Amino acid sequence: MTDVDVIIVGAGPTGLMLAAELRLAGVSPLVLERRPEQGKTPKAHGLSGQILDLLKYRGLLDRVHEALTEHVPAHRFPFGGVHVDLTRFEEPPLKAVPLRQQTLERLLEDHATGLGARVRRGHEVVGVSQDDESVTAEVRGPDGPYQVTARYLVGCDGGRSPIRALAGIPFPGTTYPEVNRIGQVSIPEGLTVHDDGDIETPELGRIKAGFTRTDAGVFALGSLTPGILFIQTTEDDPGEVDDDVPMTLAELGDSIRRVLGADVPLGDPVRLSRYQFSARQAERYREGRILLAGDAAHLLPSTGTAINVGMSDSVNLAWKLAAELQGRAPEGLLDTYHAERHAAGARALVQSQAQVALRRGHDEAAEALRTIFQELLGDEQAARRLSAHVAGTDLRYPSPGSGHALAGTFVPDFALETDEGTTSVGELLRSARPVLLDLAGRPELRDLAQGRVDVHTAKAEDRPAGVLLIRPDGYVAWAGDADADGLREALSAWFGG
């Protein structure tokens, strides 16, 4: 007997998204979080990439926008010491919202618990064991130790993941010596901010917005919110830092002094945080009945990517895990989680490690490389391609049975006309169910899918294909017009029967 279907270790964005997606699929998850309350140390300060489209499809994007306390920034993103300027695009290929991680976690926890998921804080998993049928977690809780047993356990417990270590999964890679300190501070007396974003300081005079490089490190300056300065320093430090220890304004000031050689006046802090970059990936995302997702599976040495990739892991895993638990998964379905998301994580590592190469060089050759790279990003196609790489929107999964251009890609949202009225592709995916969407009047193809997926008939202007088979995670499993054999193969591969 098991106590729950799935134990999720870690109540960050990855774990909470997984809990919500499992509940949508009819699975009972229990989230165990070692911290007694949500962490107060600021971490990620924004959400970007493909996951924003998925949140829209789940009906959560409006709640994200309602939770914003800052204006949505211009579409200009840092990339390894240069910037990708997307302000010229009517529809930017990379989107972001300035949502603090603590706010995102509260939103996701409300969503998950509203669907029936349980979250226990102050419950630390200190041991795991598994057999052919179940996995048991040894837990240290506020009232003492206890055990809980489930069919599967998913470690969403961060880069230092105890679950990964307990499962014996290697985590090769590199931890870089650079320490990054970030501060968002009010503008103090004695400091002038120019219209172009430059600042004027008593000791150093004018400091340009953007990146200032010295022999001691990098000083970055910008502004996302009127009246608030965004300041970051980067210094090499051979030791590892503890991200959970709160950073002080004095620590940021000391770092600025080391990098620039003089003080910069700082106002009242809005946000202070410190982090160190690693490039690591678990050799495998599954060991028996234990799986990994998010930072437990991969650490990316750049900002603005990790939450997107981690939450996307959860969405990919949830429907496959639910199908396995409910006895309707075709053979090997759960193994496609590692196959697809390990490849996605490796691809995210490529662009984030490219950022390392761009930002860490301090000699004239490195500066020349950044200059050339910045010029290349002035070309529309280069900016689009790089943005899609960072966002994860260029990701394509192998798709048996279909050679259509849409197969394996994230389905675009477009309006649909049905007998019941107007809807959209995103609306059809609100319940996280697989969908066959017939836009060409193909009853023989609808008959093939009946009983295995939700079947919808509609009309669309500029339809991308006659018939689309869409997975619960929003990816197109098959697309075509009249290829019954191809659709049959795709249905069998993904949904059994």
Side-chain angles (χ1 to χ4, degrees), residues 316-327:
N316 183 288
L317 174 60
W319 69 275
K320 298 172 181 178
L321 200 51
E324 188 74 23
L325 287 162
Q326 294 161 355

Side-chain angles (χ1 to χ4, degrees), residues 403-421:
H404 194 279
L406 275 181
T409 67
F410 193 80
V411 67
D413 197 15
F414 52 89
L416 301 171
E417 292 294 334
T418 72
D419 292 341
E420 290 75 33

Side-chain angles (χ1 to χ4, degrees), residues 84 86 88-89 93 377 379-388:
V84 187
L86 305 178
R88 64 187 185 275
F89 295 104
L377 289 177
D379 296 339
E380 178 177 339
Q381 187 57 36
R384 285 190 179 278
R385 185 165 184 173
L386 183 64
S387 297

Side-chain angles (χ1 to χ4, degrees), residues 10 31 83 97 113 195 305 360 365 434:
V31 181
H83 280 87
V97 292
T113 55
D195 291 342
T305 305
R360 281 189 58 75

Side-chain angles (χ1 to χ4, degrees), residues 102-187:
Q102 291 94 328
T103 305
L104 174 63
E105 289 175 3
R106 285 195 294 270
L107 187 155
L108 291 175
E109 184 167 350
D110 288 345
H111 175 53
T113 55
L115 292 169
R118 291 178 290 161
V119 179
R120 295 180 185 172
R121 294 188 178 273
H123 293 251
E124 182 180 7
V125 176
V126 295
V128 292
S129 59
Q130 60 174 316
D131 55 31
D132 291 340
E133 301 296 328
S134 64
V135 56
T136 298
E138 304 285 341
V139 186
R140 185 185 299 126
D143 299 323
Y146 65 96
Q147 292 183 337
V148 59
T149 300
R151 296 277 301 281
Y152 289 92
L153 181 147
V154 186
C156 303
D157 52 339
R160 295 185 174 92
S161 171
I163 296 302
R164 185 184 60 238
L166 290 167
I169 299 175
F171 197 46
T174 301
T175 297
Y176 296 99
E178 62 190 25
V179 177
N180 300 271
R181 294 176 174 87
I182 288 178
Q184 284 181 275
V185 298
S186 64
I187 299 171

Side-chain angles (χ1 to χ4, degrees), residues 137-274:
E138 304 285 341
V139 186
R140 185 185 299 126
D143 299 323
Y146 65 96
Q147 292 183 337
V148 59
T149 300
R151 296 277 301 281
Y152 289 92
L153 181 147
V154 186
C156 303
D157 52 339
R160 295 185 174 92
S161 171
I163 296 302
R164 185 184 60 238
L166 290 167
I169 299 175
F171 197 46
T174 301
T175 297
Y176 296 99
E178 62 190 25
V179 177
N180 300 271
R181 294 176 174 87
I182 288 178
Q184 284 181 275
V185 298
S186 64
I187 299 171
E189 291 185 14
L191 188 144
T192 302
V193 180
H194 296 280
D195 291 342
D196 60 2
D198 294 358
I199 62 174
E200 197 86 30
T201 71
E203 291 191 52
L204 292 171
R206 191 159 183 150
I207 301 175
K208 289 186 173 297
F211 301 96
T212 299
R213 298 174 186 278
T214 72
D215 291 340
V218 180
F219 175 82
L221 171 68
S223 179
L224 299 177
T225 305
I228 300 294
L229 288 179
F230 177 92
I231 291 173
Q232 176 174 333
T233 62
T234 302
E235 302 175 86
D236 275 2
D237 187 330
E240 286 199 21
V241 301
D242 187 348
D243 297 348
D244 292 329
V245 175
M247 192 179 81
T248 65
L249 193 64
E251 180 182 336
L252 177 62
D254 290 343
S255 180
I256 293 171
R257 190 180 308 111
R258 288 192 296 269
V259 172
L260 294 180
D263 289 317
V264 171
L266 301 174
D268 295 329
V270 176
R271 175 200 179 195
L272 294 170
S273 62
R274 171 205 321 103

